[in-house]
Amino acid sequence: MQFYSLPNLIRRGLRGHRDWTPAWRKAEPKPSYDVVIVGAGGHGLATAYYLAKLHGVTNVAVLERGWLGGGNIGRNTAIVRSNYLWDASAHIYEFSLKLWEGLSQELNYNVMFSQRGLLNIGHSEQEMRDLARRVGANQLNGIDAELLSTHEVSKLVPILNTSPHTRYPVLGGTLQRRGGVARHDAVAWGYARAADALGVDIVENCEVTGIRTANGRVTSLETTRGEIRAGAVGLVVAGNASVLASMAGIRLPIQSHPLQALVTEPLKPVFDPVVMSSAVHVYIHQTDRGELVLGAGIDAPVSYDLNGNFRIIEHVLAAVCELFPIFSRVRMLRQWAGTVDVCPDASPIISGTPIKGLFMNCGWGTGGFKATPGSGWVFAHTLAHQEPHPLNEPFSLDRFTTGALIDEHGAAAVAH
Amino acid sequence: MLLIPCPWCGPREDDEFTFGGEADIPRPADPDALTDEQWADYLFMRDNRRGRHREQWCHTAGCRRWFIVERDTVTNEILGASTYGNSS
Ligand SMILES: Cc1cc2nc3c(=O)[nH]c(=O)nc-3n(C[C@H](O)[C@H](O)[C@H](O)COP(=O)(O)OP(=O)(O)OC[C@H]3O[C@@H](n4cnc5c(N)ncnc54)[C@H](O)[C@@H]3O)c2cc1C
Ligand SMILES: [Zn+2]
């Protein structure tokens, strides 16, 4: 791996930047691996990296149907935070946030993690009570969280319409100062480069079409580039989780929906934190380039369609213009959608399955980007030891049978 | 935007409707006899198919009746609609 540093940049610059090599190899699939990860999204690549780095498991392939980073890792709105309500979620998301804080150094790759703060605003008395409860729960779990008055919100984001005569009056908010955004593609590229350097094969244009088992144990995968034998398999395919699970005869409590986002033309910097409103279904932040990134809730029907319903756009823009009248004439540049894998309790599944050697990491729905480092870390542990780490034990598939759900709709449904 | 064919009112824009999830999931006839696994399957597990999907819709801002639509979940093409127990 070519180390990225200032001296290296200068040295290579003097040679005309002609001797940089690609950040990762285009690997050909081998007939057999100790561990095969399906899906080169953020979570799959992070899993491969930590398997090689922390567990010495380097005979690993990451199989990707399309191109690396073409899934939700390249489509999300990049928000990172850890202010979830329940202990199980607080622990895993906060663990992840701590990894984010050192990730650029860890990977020698600038993931542009920017802790610009994350503001949740509340519009009703009840919502403020719920937010206060969540702040209390966060503080008990050692997560930074503050409850703000309308005045404090207004000082933080002066362009927010906090007049009492609006359609959505702002009664206050919560702030996680350590929250923020990261450069989502860089996260995929950084993990891919670091995993590749440790010997992991990243195989693009390789779709998994079948899962073979013998005596209740996974033996190999059928792919568009031939059969690949595997000691253990980790399915990390986000919106297509049910499709892959059904190849092994497993049913999941997951429904796939389009989730859309939009971006505007660039503006001068006008506000710092990410602003989210669960009640009016909108969130917004300004990128380093000055564009506004806007998002909302999912399209209601189950769908793998990547266009998204126009009504969501109408709804998002109406809400943004109410909250930020200053943006009413800003033009949109692009809109897109990704397929998100939504669980009934808005929490992920990081778990073994009834088939030995077959593991799943899915159900992150609208909010898995922030968990990329932590998810990869615990899933690597799960694959290496064939049993969960204490951090992901509560996120088992059988919680839907035992009833031990982790209901994070308040913290996760609209806010991503 | 989808154009949903209500069997009673004809094709209407989707904002008149409420999506009601996967069809053909009958309420257990004898709930007391169900195991935890069977409950989990009934309550939470879904086929979530890529492709042909039978699903429930309610014409909330119209005749307010429930019915079944068949739709391709990749292309969003509507393949047919029917009332309960009476395919069309
Ligand atoms: C519009 C939008 C906004 C979002 N905003 C946020 C946010 O602000 N904050 C946040 O925390 N989260 C957010 N999310 C959610 C987040 O993006 C996802 O939870 C997360 O990226 C999913 O994990 P992943 O990166 O591994 O998925 P993906 O990048 O989707 O990776 C899965 C990969 O599996 C591949 N695959 C599928 N089927 C097969 C097959 N048969 N064979 C081989 N490969 C296959 C896919 O091609 C894909 O590359 C958002 C999502 C969307 C769509
Ligand atoms: Zn009708």
Side-chain angles (χ1 to χ4, degrees):
Chain A
M1 185 171 90
Q2 289 176 326
F3 193 73
Y4 295 157
S5 66
L6 187 60
N8 251 338
L9 184 64
I10 295 170
R11 203 171 303 134
R12 287 167 202 275
L14 290 173
R15 288 188 233 130
H17 290 299
R18 273 187 302 270
D19 49 0
W20 292 106
T21 55
W24 61 87
R25 297 163 293 135
K26 292 250 175 263
E28 292 295 317
K30 289 190 284 188
S32 166
Y33 290 94
D34 293 341
V35 178
V36 174
I37 312 276
V38 185
H43 292 222
L45 293 165
T47 305
Y49 169 70
Y50 291 115
L51 263 176
K53 174 82 194 285
L54 302 177
H55 304 282
V57 184
T58 54
N59 185 20
V60 175
V62 184
L63 309 182
E64 168 56 46
R65 159 179 85 168
W67 68 95
L68 187 158
N72 290 346
I73 187 68
R75 296 168 187 269
N76 65 68
T77 45
I79 295 166
V80 175
R81 62 190 174 89
S82 64
N83 55 357
Y84 283 69
L85 178 66
W86 300 106
D87 291 353
S89 332
H91 295 159
I92 195 167
Y93 288 104
E94 176 61 16
F95 177 72
S96 204
L97 182 51
K98 294 215 170 86
L99 291 177
W100 276 111
E101 288 171 334
L103 196 60
S104 292
Q105 285 73 19
E106 164 87 19
L107 299 178
N108 178 233
Y109 204 96
N110 187 0
V111 298
M112 297 170 77
F113 182 45
S114 156
Q115 291 177 295
R116 56 187 61 184
L118 182 130
L119 176 70
N120 276 96
I121 52 179
H123 304 283
S124 69
E125 298 276 347
Q126 184 56 46
E127 208 186 352
M128 287 313 299
R129 277 183 218 116
D130 292 340
L131 288 173
R133 176 188 179 207
R134 183 135 65 90
V135 163
N138 290 161
Q139 289 173 347
L140 286 173
N141 271 316
I143 294 171
D144 73 302
E146 294 163 47
L147 197 61
L148 305 187
S149 66
T150 308
H151 178 67
E152 288 164 322
V153 168
S154 165
K155 265 186 19 203
L156 193 65
V157 185
I159 59 168
L160 190 62
N161 185 0
T162 49
S163 121
H165 307 297
T166 58
R167 184 162 167 207
Y168 310 119
V170 177
L171 302 192
T174 66
L175 180 64
Q176 182 173 24
R177 292 189 194 271
R178 287 162 63 242
V181 291
R183 174 76 206 279
H184 53 189
D185 305 298
V187 176
W189 300 334
Y191 273 119
R193 170 171 169 270
D196 174 273
L198 295 171
V200 171
D201 281 357
I202 301 167
V203 186
E204 291 170 276
N205 298 310
C206 181
E207 179 171 357
V208 172
T209 53
I211 297 174
R212 294 206 185 150
T213 59
N215 306 322
R217 169 167 265 290
V218 68
T219 54
S220 67
L221 298 173
E222 294 164 26
T223 82
T224 49
R225 298 182 69 174
E227 188 178 339
I228 299 173
R229 288 193 307 280
V233 172
L235 302 178
V236 200
V237 291
N240 286 291
S242 305
V243 180
L244 271 287
S246 74
M247 292 175 190
I250 297 169
R251 264 156 70 80
L252 294 178
I254 284 181
Q255 303 193 64
S256 296
H257 297 267
L259 179 65
Q260 305 184 52
L262 305 95
V263 66
T264 71
E265 60 189 340
L267 309 172
K268 290 261 165 69
V270 279
F271 69 116
D272 295 329
V274 180
V275 180
M276 312 188 134
S277 165
S278 294
V280 302
H281 281 213
V282 72
Y283 62 91
I284 181 166
H285 73 264
Q286 188 169 24
T287 68
D288 296 330
R289 287 188 296 260
E291 302 142 338
L292 304 176
V293 177
L294 323 175
I298 53 172
D299 288 20
V302 166
S303 181
Y304 293 83
D305 147 65
L306 284 176
N307 296 312
N309 195 318
F310 186 73
R311 299 202 185 287
I312 300 271
I313 300 176
E314 259 182 325
H315 176 94
V316 174
L317 297 184
V320 165
C321 292
E322 263 306 305
L323 295 174
F324 298 93
I326 189 177
F327 294 148
S328 63
R329 283 157 175 251
V330 177
R331 279 168 297 222
M332 297 297 141
L333 281 190
R334 288 193 309 282
Q335 168 273 354
W336 66 92
T339 311
V340 296
D341 42 342
V342 178
C343 261
D345 57 356
S347 288
I349 297 166
I350 318 167
S351 174
T353 67
I355 293 175
K356 284 203 200 69
L358 183 66
F359 296 83
M360 305 223 46
N361 184 348
C362 60
W364 290 96
T366 64
F369 173 68
K370 66 179 70 63
T372 305
S375 160
W377 199 97
V378 297
F379 199 46
H381 177 104
T382 305
L383 284 163
H385 297 270
Q386 306 265 314
E387 62 177 30
H389 185 272
L391 280 171
N392 65 309
E393 209 165 6
F395 298 97
S396 68
L397 182 53
D398 72 7
R399 75 176 184 269
F400 297 94
T401 309
T402 62
L405 302 192
I406 306 163
D407 182 1
E408 285 291 355
H409 280 283
V414 174
H416 305 327
Chain B
M1 202 192 70
L2 299 172
L3 205 55
I4 308 280
C6 172
W8 291 279
C9 312
R12 299 289 182 87
E13 290 187 11
D14 58 2
D15 65 343
E16 292 186 15
F17 297 85
T18 307
F19 180 69
E22 223 160 281
D24 312 316
I25 303 176
R27 198 176 275 268
D30 183 7
D32 291 338
L34 255 51
T35 62
D36 289 351
E37 284 73 22
Q38 287 167 320
W39 268 120
D41 198 69
Y42 165 68
L43 287 172
F44 301 123
M45 303 301 163
R46 298 293 178 263
D47 288 343
N48 194 26
R49 274 207 193 92
R50 248 187 113 94
R52 227 181 160 90
H53 190 247
R54 274 167 63 83
E55 58 197 26
Q56 317 185 95
W57 286 83
C58 179
H59 196 180
T60 336
C63 64
R64 302 179 65 182
R65 285 199 265 192
W66 284 95
F67 57 97
I68 293 175
V69 169
E70 246 187 89
R71 180 176 56 100
D72 186 307
T73 56
V74 179
T75 62
N76 267 341
E77 187 188 352
I78 307 270
L79 305 164
S82 55
T83 57
Y84 285 90
N86 171 23
S87 312
S88 67

